[in-house]
Amino acid sequence: MLLGGMLFAQSWFDGDHPEEQRIRALADQIYGAVDWTWITPRAPFLSMGWHPESGFIPSDWNIYNEGMLMYLLALGSPTHPLPPSTWGALTEKFEPSWRGDHLHYPPMFVHQYSHVWVDFRDIRDAYIATKGIDYFENSKRATIAQRDYAIANAGGFAGYGPDIWGLTACDGPGDFKATIGGRAREFFSYSERGPGARDDGTLAPTAAVGSIVFAPDLVIPTITAMHDRYGRGIYGKYGFFDAFNPTLTEMGEPLKHGRIVPGVGWVDIDYLGIDQGPIVAMIENWRTGLVWNTMRRNPHIRRGLDRAGFTGGWLARVP
């Protein structure tokens, strides 16, 4: 995400002023310094982490998740690229995530983060072409599935419905169990949440709002309903707080995060940049396409998409 932001700045500051030239040069310098080939102890996949004391951790980026942008950056590197075959090896791992009409991953951020920078509308790689859709449509279907899950509300959580929905990785009240309304509940602190995974009634506005580009007809009423129904309890100076939980209305256990807000329930007290960023960027992509249109001009992004085998749509046009 840091490198994505740098390449956006590189393409945004495209003038002849010396400071803008310096921004472009610094972006190239930093991006070119990344040795992607070193981060593959179990080639062809990128490792998910490294510690100076113990080396690489045992996990790799090797399933359908938010790592698509990272692999495009690795393929597009002008200095230390991964081979083009890497993308095919990655997408071979996607099939277990296919759920009949879209690639499923429980938290919504997976379906959003790469799309902040890359306009996947009408461009396809070999894998997604076999499904008859593109990755943008895949994220749209994941968005609809999240809303449908909230409408069904099999867990009986407070607030869930057609205009109140959205599960992703976020803060939570803490790690404890409680009986609420005669029903045993288990709550979590920071955790991934989503359909088919953990769900303790904790909603994250970014899960819905970050999907505004995929389904504005569903998201805009949700933004309005969240703000109107829960008001300043979940919304402050910098926008929505990270998360809230209308099911947890009393503090029976010590909270790890947040506080109980009367009339609302549990509310986090933090704003997380990893949430606010997609909210702002995706709203702008929906409004004007600004981030997408800027990144379309970036030669490194285009090179990565080309080496991954993406074709069609805007890629067929000269930047």
Side-chain angles (χ1 to χ4, degrees):
M1 289 185 284
L2 173 66
L3 292 172
M6 288 182 178
L7 295 187
F8 170 82
Q10 180 183 59
S11 291
W12 178 258
F13 293 103
D14 58 357
D16 294 330
H17 191 280
E19 285 301 304
E20 296 199 26
Q21 295 177 14
R22 182 170 179 267
I23 289 169
R24 295 195 295 273
L26 285 171
D28 272 337
Q29 179 183 346
I30 295 170
Y31 175 51
V34 180
D35 187 352
W36 301 97
T37 62
W38 174 77
I39 319 171
T40 56
R42 293 165 294 273
F45 302 115
L46 293 161
S47 174
M48 295 188 84
W50 177 86
H51 298 284
E53 300 84 3
S54 55
F56 288 103
I57 67 174
S59 301
D60 294 324
W61 297 90
N62 60 1
I63 60 173
Y64 169 70
N65 57 27
E66 73 278 19
M68 291 173 62
L69 174 67
M70 182 169 58
Y71 276 99
L72 292 174
L73 292 169
L75 291 171
S77 170
T79 51
H80 307 287
L82 296 184
S85 59
T86 303
W87 189 265
L90 174 66
T91 55
E92 284 180 5
K93 301 290 188 177
F94 286 5
E95 193 60 23
S97 299
W98 184 253
R99 295 294 187 269
D101 72 336
H102 75 283
L103 291 164
H104 169 75
Y105 196 94
M108 201 65 219
F109 76 89
V110 159
H111 306 284
Q112 297 170 343
Y113 283 3
S114 296
H115 294 256
V116 169
W117 287 276
V118 181
D119 183 359
F120 285 100
R121 293 175 299 176
D122 299 323
I123 65 172
R124 294 170 176 84
D125 64 1
Y127 174 80
I128 207 66
T130 67
K131 305 301 184 183
I133 60 174
D134 55 38
Y135 288 106
F136 180 91
E137 176 65 23
N138 190 83
S139 290
K140 177 179 179 178
R141 295 181 183 187
T143 301
I144 295 169
Q146 278 243 0
R147 181 174 179 267
D148 289 345
Y149 173 85
I151 293 171
N153 194 14
F157 293 108
Y160 283 30
D163 292 338
I164 303 293
W165 53 274
L167 301 174
T168 192
C170 64
D171 281 344
D175 300 294
F176 57 86
K177 296 179 180 180
T179 299
I180 298 175
R183 186 165 184 169
R185 300 286 192 185
E186 183 174 9
F187 297 94
F188 306 99
S189 53
Y190 189 88
S191 177
E192 286 191 351
R193 293 170 168 85
R198 285 181 168 179
D199 182 7
D200 60 357
T202 301
L203 296 158
T206 187
V209 187
S211 288
I212 191 170
V213 292
F214 308 125
D217 56 324
L218 304 182
V219 170
I220 293 172
T222 298
I223 298 172
T224 302
M226 282 186 177
H227 193 273
D228 289 350
R229 190 174 307 175
Y230 300 108
R232 288 296 181 182
I234 66 169
Y235 193 91
K237 181 178 180 180
Y238 301 108
F240 287 109
F241 293 110
D242 174 53
F244 66 103
N245 190 319
T247 299
L248 183 61
T249 57
E250 296 181 4
M251 190 173 66
E253 295 283 342
L255 297 174
K256 185 171 183 178
H257 302 284
R259 59 195 176 98
I260 301 296
V261 177
V264 176
W266 175 84
V267 180
D268 197 15
I269 60 174
D270 291 331
Y271 304 96
L272 300 189
I274 205 169
D275 292 345
Q276 304 298 78
I279 286 175
V280 172
M282 288 301 217
I283 288 174
E284 192 58 34
N285 277 332
W286 168 68
R287 290 180 66 251
T288 67
L290 185 147
V291 181
W292 288 339
N293 293 335
T294 301
M295 293 299 271
R296 284 181 179 189
R297 305 197 305 267
N298 190 274
H300 305 306
I301 292 294
R302 294 183 71 102
R303 187 186 310 115
L305 287 165
D306 180 65
R307 289 176 176 172
F310 280 87
T311 58
W314 60 268
L315 276 173
R317 299 189 288 274
V318 177

